[in-house]
Amino acid sequence: MVKQMKKTGVPGEVPEICRTVDTTNNAAEKRVVLLIAILAGFLTPFDGSAVNIALPTIGKEFHMDAIALSWVATAYHLSSAVCLVPFGKIADIYGRKKVFLYGISIFSLASLLMTMVPSTEMFIRVRVFQGIGSAMIFGTGIAILTSVFPPRERGKVLGIYITAVYLGLSLGPFLGGVMTHYLGWRSIFFVNVPLGVITVLLILWKLKGDWLECEGEKFDLTGSVIYSSAVVATMYGFSALPDFEGAVLIAAGLVGVIAFALYEMRVPFPVLDIRLLTKNRVFALSNLSALINYSATYAVTFLLSLDLQYTKGFTAEHAGMILVAQPVIMAMISPVAGRLSDRIEPRIVASAGMAVTSFGLFLLIFLEETTPIWYLVICLVVLGTGFGLFSSPNTNAIMSAVDKRFYGVASGMNGTMRLLGQMLSMGIAMMIFAVIIGPVQITPEYYPQFVSSLHYAFILFTLFCIIGVFASLVRGKTDPVHTGHEGGKKSVR
């Protein structure tokens, strides 16, 4: 059945071309969709975390300086963030299956090309290409899951999907280190190719349906360009902190965001319907909660890795074995939290997770050079529990707060909040290092300043998370809302 949206004559309202398509899938089809989503959900985070471990080896082969090495990660994140929302909208118009399929294909092809790159410049260019494929995957994977599974099952499957993501994150450093040592760094990229080919074959063979809700709608190219420019300026600004250039770029990015919002309210087919943020409190505050959570937690692993290797004297391998406690706990808790969010209001579960995360960050404030490892492991277990409780219910809240025709955009927004939060978290950590330690190598004589930097970072991250608890609690109940009007009243699905 197709529910046609009426024209209302109000600027920015959704014209009649958009509709909600009701589809049903049997149990076997649902299992296939979930399997494909799990493979894709594992693939991209595994690649990212494994590459980070291999960066020293890659830098040595290509004689990269620190700036070039940072661009290996930054280029990937930038291209992903720029493309997430536009490709989410393209998926809503032309079909989520098509965009998902092309995304897996591009990611796999880029991974193959990475095994043959001859220079630093080509390496970074292909990483941009790979980031675009990653955005197409993340911008549609959650949207397809949400399209196929009804609300009563949504939290459970999102929990399983996010577990696959966490497994990719946790196995990446360990397997990436082993593969780099025994097979060379190119093996990290090559392993993506057979996984990608298997996923593509499953999509072509088993995945039924296109899940397009706004077929025939015009794509907002101008709005996408404004959006992309604002995201590039903001994310690159975070990477340039604490330099003055970073502050200027962030300010320019914020101006671009305002210009984007004003423009989107005046076009008939916006790439992002701004009323999803201004008139849908659940959607807006759920995305804000995700941004705050990633901003407060992403740099924790980076900071603790330095602490273990510098002040505690562990090797990179042993540090990785200790730090893996957090993503393993996340992977264990996330499916349970997802099922809970099918029975209990998602904001309650997510808010509880944010509160537990705040407590874990608070415990880290008291780290010293002599802190025993068991205390650090307890902190990691608490953090893993909190993030596991937060992530899948919050994603459930985001996707359940909008109508089906906005699933692609909502999925893209969720991914964008993740990337922006990650960049902000690292920017804060780098800014604190620059102020407390300065541009010097971390040697034993600077360990007291390094530990002080950790204290300031964890204090700030704890405050972030406490604010996030309130943002999560006040979002309201998760009721999916049409932003169009029927008969002059807001229609709720």
Side-chain angles (χ1 to χ4, degrees), residues 363-391:
L363 293 177
L364 288 172
I365 294 172
F366 304 100
L367 282 184
E368 300 290 347
E369 290 185 48
T370 56
T371 300
I373 296 302
W374 62 261
Y375 180 87
L376 182 58
V377 171
I378 289 174
C379 294
L380 291 170
V381 169
V382 173
L383 284 173
T385 301
F387 200 63
L389 283 171
F390 170 82
S391 191

Side-chain angles (χ1 to χ4, degrees), residues 40-70:
F42 176 87
L43 195 61
T44 48
F46 172 81
D47 177 86
S49 58
V51 169
N52 287 339
I53 289 293
L55 280 179
T57 306
I58 294 169
K60 185 177 180 180
E61 178 170 331
F62 289 106
H63 306 289
M64 292 183 183
D65 57 24
I67 294 175
L69 272 179
S70 69

Side-chain angles (χ1 to χ4, degrees), residues 207-328:
L207 198 59
K208 309 297 181 184
D210 281 320
W211 302 287
L212 63 168
E213 314 293 340
C214 288
E215 185 178 11
E217 180 180 316
K218 294 179 180 178
F219 177 66
D220 178 19
L221 180 60
T222 302
S224 296
V225 171
I226 298 172
Y227 168 84
S228 299
S229 301
V231 170
V232 167
T234 304
M235 290 190 67
Y236 186 69
F238 284 143
S239 69
L241 288 175
D243 292 345
F244 179 70
E245 177 192 7
V248 171
L249 285 170
I250 291 173
L254 294 176
V255 171
V257 169
I258 295 170
F260 170 72
L262 293 174
Y263 177 81
E264 292 297 280
M265 289 189 289
R266 289 170 170 76
V267 295
F269 299 108
V271 68
L272 173 62
D273 195 323
I274 297 301
R275 286 164 303 141
L276 286 174
L277 298 172
T278 60
K279 294 187 177 181
N280 190 334
R281 188 175 68 175
V282 174
F283 182 77
L285 289 179
S286 296
N287 275 290
L288 177 62
S289 298
L291 176 65
I292 292 172
N293 193 270
Y294 279 107
S295 298
T297 59
Y298 184 72
V300 170
T301 301
F302 167 74
L303 294 173
L304 293 181
S305 175
L306 295 181
D307 179 53
L308 287 168
Q309 293 181 67
Y310 284 129
T311 64
K312 305 293 192 297
F314 284 96
T315 64
E317 182 182 3
H318 288 156
M321 291 175 66
I322 294 169
L323 293 173
V324 80
Q326 180 180 334
V328 166

Side-chain angles (χ1 to χ4, degrees), residues 426-443:
M426 290 300 295
I428 291 170
M430 292 298 98
M431 182 170 60
I432 291 173
F433 278 171
V435 172
I436 303 298
I437 303 177
V440 297
Q441 189 176 0
I442 301 175
T443 55

